[in-house]
Amino acid sequence: EDLVDRAKKVANLICGTFKLGDRFSRELVFEMCGRLETNSFEVPLGLSSVSIQAVYGVACMIEHNCIPSAHKTFNNDLSLTIRAAYSLDDGDVVSLCYTDSLWTTPQRRE
């Protein structure tokens, strides 16, 4: 299931099932789904295969680089820790790899 299909389902749920269409247009909900997808992190929940999407106000502004200068760690309380991968100087850019570094190219493109 791709992002467009998921966003349509969320828009139908919010505007239809929850009857909030008079407060939120389907277009707005659809657009917000895209923004959340773009700016969120997939947070694993413990040892299970379950994960959630979360937006971290500062971390979502960190730039992407396939060879990142930092690494992210999700803590048990769902907070996020960003650590430098190597010594950074003043003015160096902090970057994260947005995908799992062990994913294949087709997996990253999906």
Side-chain angles (χ1 to χ4, degrees):
E1 184 175 48
D2 66 3
L3 173 60
V4 172
D5 292 332
R6 291 193 315 267
K8 285 180 183 177
K9 285 181 180 179
V10 171
N12 288 336
L13 182 69
I14 290 173
C15 297
T17 306
F18 295 158
K19 299 186 184 346
L20 295 173
D22 58 331
R23 295 185 64 193
F24 309 104
S25 70
R26 289 181 189 277
E27 293 79 16
L28 175 63
V29 175
F30 193 83
E31 180 182 334
M32 293 311 300
C33 286
R35 289 183 184 194
L36 288 170
E37 180 73 18
T38 300
N39 293 295
S40 65
F41 291 88
E42 185 173 356
V43 183
L45 295 180
L47 298 175
S48 72
S49 61
V50 176
S51 64
I52 61 171
Q53 294 294 113
V55 175
Y56 296 89
V58 174
C60 73
M61 308 258 265
I62 296 174
E63 76 173 46
H64 165 77
N65 193 312
C66 289
I67 305 172
S69 64
H71 298 285
K72 63 186 179 293
T73 303
F74 298 101
N75 305 304
N76 289 337
D77 64 356
L78 302 181
S79 63
L80 176 64
T81 300
I82 306 290
R83 288 194 175 91
Y86 49 84
S87 182
L88 298 173
D89 294 325
D90 284 345
D92 284 351
V93 174
V94 176
S95 61
L96 292 171
C97 184
Y98 289 172
T99 62
D100 188 311
S101 58
L102 299 177
W103 286 356
T104 63
T105 299
Q107 287 174 311
R108 288 192 309 270
R109 288 181 178 161
E110 186 180 304

